[in-house]
Amino acid sequence: MSLFDLTGKVALVTGGNGGIGLGIARGLAMAGASVVVAARDGAKSEAAIGELTALGATALAVEIDVTRDGFGEAMVGAAVTRFGGLDILVNNAGISIAKRPEDLSLGDWRAVLDTNLTSVFAGCQAAWPALTARGGGKIINIGSMYSLFGAWYSAAYSASKGGVVQLTRSLATAWAAQNIQVNALLPGWIDTDMTRKARARAAGFEEAILARTPARRWGEPDDFAGPAVFLASSASDFVTGASIVVDGGYSVEGSV
Ligand code: NDP
């Protein structure tokens, strides 16, 4: 079990106040890490801190917007001030705007790219000095099935999430010698606020996903606890630049 032990480690999760981010935060907390939750909605973050504290973790909420310049330095600075350093960064904050490409405004495009991709680069760059100061660390970036696939409604989202995979590979090669492992998790269809909206909008959508998913269920935020602990722990010290799908078999289903 010590392979997966995160006692004494400090983790920072963007968008850690709900959905997949909170599932990851719970996993890291249960493995022993102190957790910083960084997001916009302060009330939601305080509720998340309550949950993490109840699990026995020390936790801190930081109010940031990942589309604002300097957010990375602010959240990493808060982690270092409160806990003395940073070992694990999870870039999870994300949004989706589902429109046909001909209807997607440049503003929509920029909002999705800024939130889902540029913020990952900026967050990693801001964390680098703190991670190297500890002799290395772990970065986990959250991609998507749309890192792999396209769809009529996903031009900006797929571009951003495909970019997350390539950015992950580039940072992994750049920082391997500094003992920083950079990997991605690619979620399938997970029951969160983000997908609840889509499920409510489109009739038959929920059933179509179930029929296509070999596990015959939607994923839950807690399905990310184990994969995140693996990528955050010494168990994955020779794993870098990888993108691991967490999708109940959705992306390998080939039956007709
Ligand atoms: P949620 O909508 O439940 O959570 C999104 C999180 O991101 C919230 O905590 C939100 O917090 C935060 N966030 C959004 N915009 C910003 C911003 N500008 N600054 C700071 N924080 C922000 O979605 P999920 O949990 O489903 O999504 C989490 C990640 O997983 C995303 O990257 C998403 O693309 C990805 N994903 C999700 C899938 C799914 O099926 N659910 C499938 C594939 C990928 P707040 O509003 O307080 O800022």
Side-chain angles (χ1 to χ4, degrees), residues 47-65:
I49 296 308
E51 243 195 75
L52 297 172
T53 307
L55 292 173
T58 44
L60 172 74
V62 181
E63 221 168 297
I64 49 100
D65 180 334

mmCIF file of all heavy atoms in Angstrom, residues 47-65:
data_model
loop_
_atom_site.group_PDB
_atom_site.id
_atom_site.type_symbol
_atom_site.label_atom_id
_atom_site.label_comp_id
_atom_site.label_asym_id
_atom_site.label_seq_id
_atom_site.Cartn_x
_atom_site.Cartn_y
_atom_site.Cartn_z
ATOM 1 N N ALA A 47 -18.013 23.978 0.573
ATOM 2 C CA ALA A 47 -18.718 22.704 0.801
ATOM 3 C C ALA A 47 -17.778 21.526 0.517
ATOM 4 O O ALA A 47 -17.756 20.532 1.261
ATOM 5 C CB ALA A 47 -19.956 22.625 -0.082
ATOM 6 N N ALA A 48 -16.983 21.654 -0.544
ATOM 7 C CA ALA A 48 -16.023 20.588 -0.882
ATOM 8 C C ALA A 48 -14.979 20.438 0.220
ATOM 9 O O ALA A 48 -14.609 19.311 0.596
ATOM 10 C CB ALA A 48 -15.349 20.893 -2.217
ATOM 11 N N ILE A 49 -14.511 21.570 0.761
ATOM 12 C CA ILE A 49 -13.514 21.526 1.845
ATOM 13 C C ILE A 49 -14.099 20.803 3.064
ATOM 14 O O ILE A 49 -13.424 19.999 3.715
ATOM 15 C CB ILE A 49 -13.069 22.967 2.227
ATOM 16 C CG1 ILE A 49 -12.347 23.643 1.056
ATOM 17 C CG2 ILE A 49 -12.185 22.975 3.475
ATOM 18 C CD1 ILE A 49 -11.225 22.860 0.452
ATOM 19 N N GLY A 50 -15.394 21.075 3.327
ATOM 20 C CA GLY A 50 -16.077 20.391 4.432
ATOM 21 C C GLY A 50 -16.035 18.881 4.231
ATOM 22 O O GLY A 50 -15.760 18.126 5.165
ATOM 23 N N GLU A 51 -16.310 18.455 3.002
ATOM 24 C CA GLU A 51 -16.308 17.016 2.694
ATOM 25 C C GLU A 51 -14.915 16.413 2.881
ATOM 26 O O GLU A 51 -14.760 15.334 3.447
ATOM 27 C CB GLU A 51 -16.686 16.835 1.217
ATOM 28 C CG GLU A 51 -17.965 16.077 1.004
ATOM 29 C CD GLU A 51 -18.099 15.618 -0.429
ATOM 30 O OE1 GLU A 51 -17.413 14.659 -0.818
ATOM 31 O OE2 GLU A 51 -18.876 16.249 -1.153
ATOM 32 N N LEU A 52 -13.902 17.121 2.379
ATOM 33 C CA LEU A 52 -12.528 16.598 2.437
ATOM 34 C C LEU A 52 -12.043 16.551 3.887
ATOM 35 O O LEU A 52 -11.357 15.606 4.298
ATOM 36 C CB LEU A 52 -11.593 17.449 1.576
ATOM 37 C CG LEU A 52 -11.928 17.461 0.077
ATOM 38 C CD1 LEU A 52 -11.068 18.475 -0.672
ATOM 39 C CD2 LEU A 52 -11.763 16.072 -0.533
ATOM 40 N N THR A 53 -12.419 17.571 4.652
ATOM 41 C CA THR A 53 -12.027 17.620 6.062
ATOM 42 C C THR A 53 -12.674 16.459 6.826
ATOM 43 O O THR A 53 -12.050 15.834 7.685
ATOM 44 C CB THR A 53 -12.426 18.979 6.674
ATOM 45 O OG1 THR A 53 -11.872 20.005 5.841
ATOM 46 C CG2 THR A 53 -11.889 19.146 8.082
ATOM 47 N N ALA A 54 -13.930 16.171 6.466
ATOM 48 C CA ALA A 54 -14.631 15.055 7.120
ATOM 49 C C ALA A 54 -13.946 13.717 6.824
ATOM 50 O O ALA A 54 -14.070 12.766 7.593
ATOM 51 C CB ALA A 54 -16.083 15.017 6.666
ATOM 52 N N LEU A 55 -13.219 13.650 5.714
ATOM 53 C CA LEU A 55 -12.473 12.427 5.386
ATOM 54 C C LEU A 55 -11.150 12.354 6.145
ATOM 55 O O LEU A 55 -10.375 11.413 5.986
ATOM 56 C CB LEU A 55 -12.179 12.370 3.877
ATOM 57 C CG LEU A 55 -13.368 12.179 2.931
ATOM 58 C CD1 LEU A 55 -12.920 12.321 1.481
ATOM 59 C CD2 LEU A 55 -14.011 10.817 3.160
ATOM 60 N N GLY A 56 -10.854 13.420 6.918
ATOM 61 C CA GLY A 56 -9.635 13.432 7.716
ATOM 62 C C GLY A 56 -8.494 14.195 7.075
ATOM 63 O O GLY A 56 -7.375 14.211 7.590
ATOM 64 N N ALA A 57 -8.762 14.851 5.929
ATOM 65 C CA ALA A 57 -7.701 15.574 5.222
ATOM 66 C C ALA A 57 -7.600 17.014 5.714
ATOM 67 O O ALA A 57 -8.552 17.549 6.280
ATOM 68 C CB ALA A 57 -7.990 15.578 3.728
ATOM 69 N N THR A 58 -6.445 17.633 5.486
ATOM 70 C CA THR A 58 -6.370 19.081 5.612
ATOM 71 C C THR A 58 -6.601 19.641 4.223
ATOM 72 O O THR A 58 -6.042 19.134 3.241
ATOM 73 C CB THR A 58 -5.008 19.560 6.160
ATOM 74 O OG1 THR A 58 -3.984 18.819 5.492
ATOM 75 C CG2 THR A 58 -4.895 19.348 7.638
ATOM 76 N N ALA A 59 -7.446 20.664 4.120
ATOM 77 C CA ALA A 59 -7.841 21.158 2.801
ATOM 78 C C ALA A 59 -8.001 22.669 2.836
ATOM 79 O O ALA A 59 -8.272 23.256 3.878
ATOM 80 C CB ALA A 59 -9.140 20.494 2.376
ATOM 81 N N LEU A 60 -7.817 23.271 1.674
ATOM 82 C CA LEU A 60 -7.871 24.732 1.542
ATOM 83 C C LEU A 60 -8.594 25.077 0.247
ATOM 84 O O LEU A 60 -8.336 24.455 -0.794
ATOM 85 C CB LEU A 60 -6.433 25.274 1.494
ATOM 86 C CG LEU A 60 -6.232 26.756 1.167
ATOM 87 C CD1 LEU A 60 -6.632 27.606 2.373
ATOM 88 C CD2 LEU A 60 -4.770 27.034 0.789
ATOM 89 N N ALA A 61 -9.465 26.084 0.301
ATOM 90 C CA ALA A 61 -10.131 26.558 -0.917
ATOM 91 C C ALA A 61 -9.464 27.837 -1.399
ATOM 92 O O ALA A 61 -9.151 28.718 -0.598
ATOM 93 C CB ALA A 61 -11.596 26.830 -0.636
ATOM 94 N N VAL A 62 -9.219 27.929 -2.702
ATOM 95 C CA VAL A 62 -8.660 29.146 -3.290
ATOM 96 C C VAL A 62 -9.577 29.568 -4.435
ATOM 97 O O VAL A 62 -9.902 28.750 -5.300
ATOM 98 C CB VAL A 62 -7.232 28.897 -3.849
ATOM 99 C CG1 VAL A 62 -6.658 30.181 -4.423
ATOM 100 C CG2 VAL A 62 -6.316 28.347 -2.786
ATOM 101 N N GLU A 63 -9.978 30.848 -4.403
ATOM 102 C CA GLU A 63 -10.882 31.326 -5.448
ATOM 103 C C GLU A 63 -10.069 31.846 -6.634
ATOM 104 O O GLU A 63 -9.343 32.839 -6.513
ATOM 105 C CB GLU A 63 -11.771 32.437 -4.879
ATOM 106 C CG GLU A 63 -13.204 32.316 -5.352
ATOM 107 C CD GLU A 63 -14.132 33.218 -4.561
ATOM 108 O OE1 GLU A 63 -14.262 33.012 -3.334
ATOM 109 O OE2 GLU A 63 -14.694 34.146 -5.177
ATOM 110 N N ILE A 64 -10.158 31.155 -7.758
ATOM 111 C CA ILE A 64 -9.452 31.586 -8.972
ATOM 112 C C ILE A 64 -10.351 31.333 -10.191
ATOM 113 O O ILE A 64 -11.257 30.503 -10.154
ATOM 114 C CB ILE A 64 -8.111 30.839 -9.195
ATOM 115 C CG1 ILE A 64 -8.279 29.323 -9.060
ATOM 116 C CG2 ILE A 64 -7.014 31.323 -8.282
ATOM 117 C CD1 ILE A 64 -8.381 28.555 -10.308
ATOM 118 N N ASP A 65 -10.054 32.074 -11.254
ATOM 119 C CA ASP A 65 -10.689 31.826 -12.556
ATOM 120 C C ASP A 65 -9.552 31.479 -13.509
ATOM 121 O O ASP A 65 -8.641 32.292 -13.728
ATOM 122 C CB ASP A 65 -11.422 33.091 -13.019
ATOM 123 C CG ASP A 65 -12.103 32.911 -14.366
ATOM 124 O OD1 ASP A 65 -11.657 32.076 -15.176
ATOM 125 O OD2 ASP A 65 -13.084 33.636 -14.617
#
